């Protein structure tokens, strides 16, 4: 996969279109089902209204952070968004926690760096409802607004402890349904 980049002078609208084109994503957000590829296996889940509300910001976070849409990039963006906070977007918290549970096996160091970056930046989720006017801003202006134009500081002990806590919670959340199923089958 070739990394997609976005220049600071590009409008968010143009950058989002590049992002959609490069990844083959539906630019209308109107698909009934979302397809997630796990190797040769395709997993489908409903494209619920709450997910659509969150993914409009999530997609822009990919653009302004530079995290790609491969598995490692999705783990990074999940760590960043949890570090920065997902505000009132329950779908964002849920999907990011699921993705973060993969961090220990897919990209543990990259996820920690992204989490620390998020803790020292902001997220678009706190803007409330998505407004098209955001797309008229430049990529650089949005990066500056969210303090993503600054170097990521080294992880502090507090950053590492918070990261370990979130990763642990995400793994437990991911294993809970399996434990429940095992209890039903073998209990």
């Amino acid at each position: 996969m070739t990394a997609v980049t976005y220049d600071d002078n590009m409008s968010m609208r143009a950058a989002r279109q590049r992002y959609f084109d490069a990844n083959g994503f539906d630019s209308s957000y109107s698909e009934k089902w979302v397809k997630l590829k796990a190797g040769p296996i395709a997993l489908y889940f409903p494209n619920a209204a709450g997910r659509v509300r969150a993914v409009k910001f999530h997609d822009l976070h990919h653009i302004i952070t530079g995290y790609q849409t491969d598995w490692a990039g999705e783990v990074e963006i999940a760590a960043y968004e949890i570090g920065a906070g997902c505000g009132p977007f329950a779908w964002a918290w849920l999907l990011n926690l699921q993705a973060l549970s993969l961090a220990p096996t897919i990209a543990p160091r990259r996820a920690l760096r992204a989490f620390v970056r998020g803790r020292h930046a902001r997220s678009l989720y706190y803007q409330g409802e998505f407004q098209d006017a955001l797309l008229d801003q430049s990529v650089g202006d949005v990066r500056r607004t969210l303090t993503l134009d600054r170097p990521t500081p080294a992880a502090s002990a507090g950053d590492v402890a918070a990261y370990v806590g979130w990763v642990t919670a995400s793994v437990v959340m991911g294993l809970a349904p399996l434990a429940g199923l095992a209890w039903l089958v073998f209990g």
Side-chain angles (χ1 to χ4, degrees), residues 18-33:
R18 177 184 284 178
Y19 170 81
F20 289 148
D21 294 345
N23 293 290
F25 293 157
D26 169 35
S27 62
S28 70
Y29 296 105
S30 63
E31 293 177 327
K32 297 279 186 221
W33 294 89

Side-chain angles (χ1 to χ4, degrees), residues 11-182:
S11 75
M12 290 298 291
R13 187 178 313 281
R16 187 177 72 167
Q17 191 57 54
R18 177 184 284 178
Y19 170 81
F20 289 148
D21 294 345
N23 293 290
F25 293 157
D26 169 35
S27 62
S28 70
Y29 296 105
S30 63
E31 293 177 327
K32 297 279 186 221
W33 294 89
V34 176
K35 180 169 105 174
L36 177 68
K37 292 278 290 172
I41 300 169
L43 306 170
Y44 291 87
F45 59 94
N47 195 20
R51 181 199 172 273
V52 171
R53 280 183 60 235
V55 81
K56 288 179 179 182
F57 289 124
H58 176 86
D59 288 345
L60 298 182
H61 283 149
H62 273 288
I63 292 165
I64 60 176
T65 62
Y67 301 135
Q68 301 301 306
T69 58
D70 58 1
W71 282 97
E74 290 298 339
V75 167
E76 284 176 306
I77 199 73
Y80 166 80
E81 289 186 350
I82 289 172
C86 300
F89 289 82
W91 272 92
W93 287 108
L94 175 68
L95 294 172
N96 283 324
L97 282 168
Q98 289 174 339
L100 189 64
S101 71
L102 302 173
T105 57
I106 290 181
R109 290 182 184 163
R110 287 169 58 178
L112 173 60
R113 277 192 303 273
F115 179 79
V116 171
R117 187 179 188 195
R119 281 179 49 103
H120 296 276
R122 294 188 209 81
S123 90
L124 294 169
Y125 291 119
Y126 292 100
Q127 293 194 6
E129 292 303 314
F130 180 84
Q131 302 293 321
D132 274 341
L134 177 60
L135 300 176
D136 295 328
Q137 295 181 40
S138 73
V139 170
D141 285 344
V142 175
R143 285 178 176 146
R144 281 185 287 283
T145 298
L146 300 181
T147 67
L148 288 168
D149 59 330
R150 302 173 188 166
T152 303
S156 68
D159 291 332
V160 172
Y163 173 75
V164 169
W166 280 107
V167 169
T168 301
S170 71
V171 170
V172 168
M173 184 184 93
L175 293 176
L178 296 174
L181 180 61

